[in-house]
């Protein structure tokens, strides 16, 4: 029995747990991949606040998450409610909303750079045709919002599936009782739908937060510049650049450990909140 | 308090017609049971009265007002659902007060109404609990409490007892009936269980396949079923309905079996006799059926015997305890004046 499981177990142990311990180990050294690693204690961690790329990335990631998480949840919930009806061809609509989720972020990201392009982008073409002034969508002022918009668009499908499943699990009786009791559409949402969806909303919040802190592909494609840098670096970008461009593996590993710790703490907070408010049925 | 009047009610889903013109009245303060087998349209009918289903044609009137186009909440009704439909995230108190809260009632008034209803239903100690912390019977009471606090003119019950165990069902039967007496409201109760209908209702409406078969007081339906379906549906165990040829003051049920008949009917008939209206007689007694017992079930209060006479299957119920074993040959004689006769063709009562 064990012999059959061994290949999988070995992969799991080495691949998953091994890499976690290796990352923590590397974060306690100075290592450039070529020369032997030098023990560095916790200096890589204490140096982080002085690392400008890291601090900028941390601020960007926090700002991004603060917009991305609530927007993704609200929009995908709204879409799920719109999709939760028996209409002819509703399946096609659901597929349409789910497509971004299964499309390659790199390819779709390129499409968005055309849409957002300042000189001859689709969006600015529409704006100028209507008499407006072109907007620098990926410039310093708008980049955060443009990037959030693309990421939310890409995440609607995944959220919609979770919420659609949650909505369809709500017994029809609840709505009928509410109707007999005279509940308005808003009251049905407030007192029936949202409480019944609480477990799905918490689950989706945890998932979306993790995704927000790990966001990389769309943002990199949209904000990269000639020298391999980005106008809007995020934590994962900072880890990648520190490790594989600057070859400071110890610093990169320390950043990765901090990122993991942040996600861990956020998840713990959600679980605590769910225990307090989101008592599932 | 209100009278409910159903006139020529029809329901169709697309081209499929599922209700074919049902009419009946429920008097103010009356307890009416809608009963019939699965799929007969009784729940659909109740939901049409509640406003949860569209009415294809015909009218529903409550307190003299046609409510076809009236929103459910304006119909002055409350409904108790089969699986209670209690909101899992609300306490018993919040569940019961929810409709008043939606209507913008003052907090003190809501608390008072909920308190009174909880007292009536014995729910006072459970007001702060969540539904999942309650037993099935308690949830059932909360569902009724939620209906009571609204003080509706009409109570609608959609098979509210079918999720309870047998003992609890008997208890809740009595409680619902007592509550009805106490509130003096009009109640319409849907059930597939004819025993529930018989024991609770002032009047029973029997439905089948979207048609009203017969409406009347429970014992009228038992004593004088208008057709073979009602005869077989009302009463437990079900009435024996035997196909035969009537004529000359007797009915021939098989080559070997002919029974005397009090009716002058002739032709193909269904001869009906309830199991409890067969008495045990010595084999060979005139006008009796000779049969072999092949099922003998005793509950202590009664003994049920299933037997065969040639090709015929006959059920009998004895309230004493005759000495019958499986395989015994016995004589059964219909008690005089208690048999029913239906036309084999139209299924309607002919004597």
């Amino acid at each position: 029995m064990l012999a059959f499981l061994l290949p999988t177990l070995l992969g799991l142990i080495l691949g998953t747990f091994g890499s976690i311990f290796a990352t923590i180990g590397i974060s306690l050294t100075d290592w450039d991949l070529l020369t032997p690693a030098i023990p560095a204690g916790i200096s890589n961690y204490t140096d982080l606040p002085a690392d400008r790329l890291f601090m900028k990335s941390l601020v960007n990631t926090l700002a991004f998450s603060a917009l991305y998480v609530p927007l993704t949840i609200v929009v995908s919930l709204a879409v799920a409610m719109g999709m939760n009806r028996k209409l002819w061809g509703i399946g096609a609509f659901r597929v349409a909303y789910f497509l971004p989720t299964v499309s390659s972020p790199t390819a779709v990201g390129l499409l968005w750079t055309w849409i957002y392009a300042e000189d001859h982008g689709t969006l600015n073409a529409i704006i100028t045709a209507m008499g407006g002034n072109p907007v620098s969508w990926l410039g310093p002022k708008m980049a955060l919002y443009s990037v959030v918009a693309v990421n939310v668009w890409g995440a609607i499908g995944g959220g919609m599936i979770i919420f659609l499943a949650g909505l369809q699990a709500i017994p029809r009786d609840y709505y009928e009782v509410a109707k007999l009791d005279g509940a308005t559409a808003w009251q049905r949402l407030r007192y029936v739908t949202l409480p019944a969806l609480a477990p799905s909303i918490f689950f989706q919040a945890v998932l979306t937060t993790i995704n927000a802190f790990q966001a990389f592909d769309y943002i990199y494609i949209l904000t990269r510049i000639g020298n391999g840098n980005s106008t809007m670096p995020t934590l994962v970008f900072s880890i990648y650049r520190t490790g594989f461009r600057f070859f400071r593996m110890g610093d990169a590993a320390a950043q990765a450990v901090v990122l993991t710790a942040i996600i861990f703490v956020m998840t713990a907070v959600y679980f605590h909140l769910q225990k307090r408010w989101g008592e599932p049925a | 308090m209100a009278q409910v009047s159903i006139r020529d009610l029809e329901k169709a889903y697309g081209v499929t017609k599922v209700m074919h013109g049902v009419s009946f009245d429920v008097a103010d303060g009356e307890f009416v049971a809608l009963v019939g087998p699965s799929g007969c349209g009784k729940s659909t009918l109740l939901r049409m009265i509640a406003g949860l289903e569209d009415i294809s044609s015909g009218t529903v009137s409550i307190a003299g007002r046609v409510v076809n186009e009236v929103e459910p909440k304006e119909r002055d009704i409350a409904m108790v659902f089969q699986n209670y439909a209690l909101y899992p995230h609300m306490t018993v108190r919040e569940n019961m007060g929810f409709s008043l809260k939606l209507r913008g009632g003052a907090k003190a008034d809501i608390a008072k109404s909920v308190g009174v209803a909880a007292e009536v239903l014995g729910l006072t100690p459970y007001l702060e609990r969540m539904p999942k912390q309650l037993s099935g019977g308690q949830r059932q009471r909360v569902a009724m409490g939620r209906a009571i606090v609204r003080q509706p003119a009409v109570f609608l019950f959609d098979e509210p007892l079918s999720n309870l165990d047998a003992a609890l069902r008997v208890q809740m039967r009595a409680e619902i009936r007592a509550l009805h007496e106490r509130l003096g409201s009009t109640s319409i109760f849907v059930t597939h269980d004819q025993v529930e209908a018989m024991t609770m209702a002032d009047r029973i409406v029997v439905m089948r396949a979207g048609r009203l078969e017969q409406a009347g007081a429970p014992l009228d339906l038992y004593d004088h079923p208008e057709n073979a379906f009602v005869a077989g549906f009302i009463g437990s165990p079900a009435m024996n309905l035997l196909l035969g040829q009537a004529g000359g003051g007797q009915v021939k049920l098989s080559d070997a079996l002919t029974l005397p008949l009090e009716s002058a009917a002739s032709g193909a008939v269904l001869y009906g006799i309830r199991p409890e209206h067969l008495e045990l007689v010595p084999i060979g007694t005139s006008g009796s059926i000779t049969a072999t017992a092949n099922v003998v079930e005793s509950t202590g209060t009664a003994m049920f015997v299933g037997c065969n006479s040639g090709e015929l299957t006959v059920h009998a119920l004895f309230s004493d305890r005759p000495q019958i074993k499986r395989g015994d040959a016995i004589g059964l004689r219909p008690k005089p004046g208690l048999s029913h006769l239906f036309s084999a063709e139209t299924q309607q009562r002919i004597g």
Side-chain angles (χ1 to χ4, degrees), chain A residues 6-26 257 260 264:
Chain A
L6 211 54
T8 310
L9 280 178
L10 217 59
L12 186 72
I13 289 165
L14 290 179
T16 305
F17 301 112
S19 65
I20 291 174
F21 289 118
T23 306
I24 294 172
I26 293 169
V257 172
T260 311
F264 193 81

Side-chain angles (χ1 to χ4, degrees), chain B residues 65 77 103 108 111 160-161 163 169 221 224 226 249 258 262 275 281 307 319 329 336 351:
Chain B
R65 171 175 71 136
I77 44 153
R103 274 148 204 248
L161 303 184
N163 287 359
R169 211 176 299 165
L221 264 56
H224 299 286
E226 277 171 15
T258 302
E262 289 136 14
V281 292
C307 34
S319 53

Side-chain angles (χ1 to χ4, degrees), chain B residues 276-346:
Chain B
E276 55 270 38
H277 294 156
L278 286 168
E279 57 186 351
L280 205 55
V281 292
I283 292 170
T285 306
S286 85
S288 78
I289 306 165
T290 303
T292 311
N294 49 31
V295 178
V296 179
E297 294 170 349
S298 190
T299 57
T301 53
M303 182 186 257
F304 173 82
V305 182
C307 34
N308 281 59
S309 172
E311 306 230 310
L312 297 176
T313 301
V314 179
H315 299 136
L317 192 72
F318 305 108
S319 53
D320 48 358
R321 291 190 198 175
Q323 293 297 313
I324 301 173
K325 294 189 308 296
R326 226 159 70 85
D328 284 358
I330 54 173
L332 295 169
R333 185 174 61 188
K335 291 180 185 170
L338 291 174
S339 68
H340 308 260
L341 208 60
F342 305 97
S343 154
E345 188 193 349
T346 64

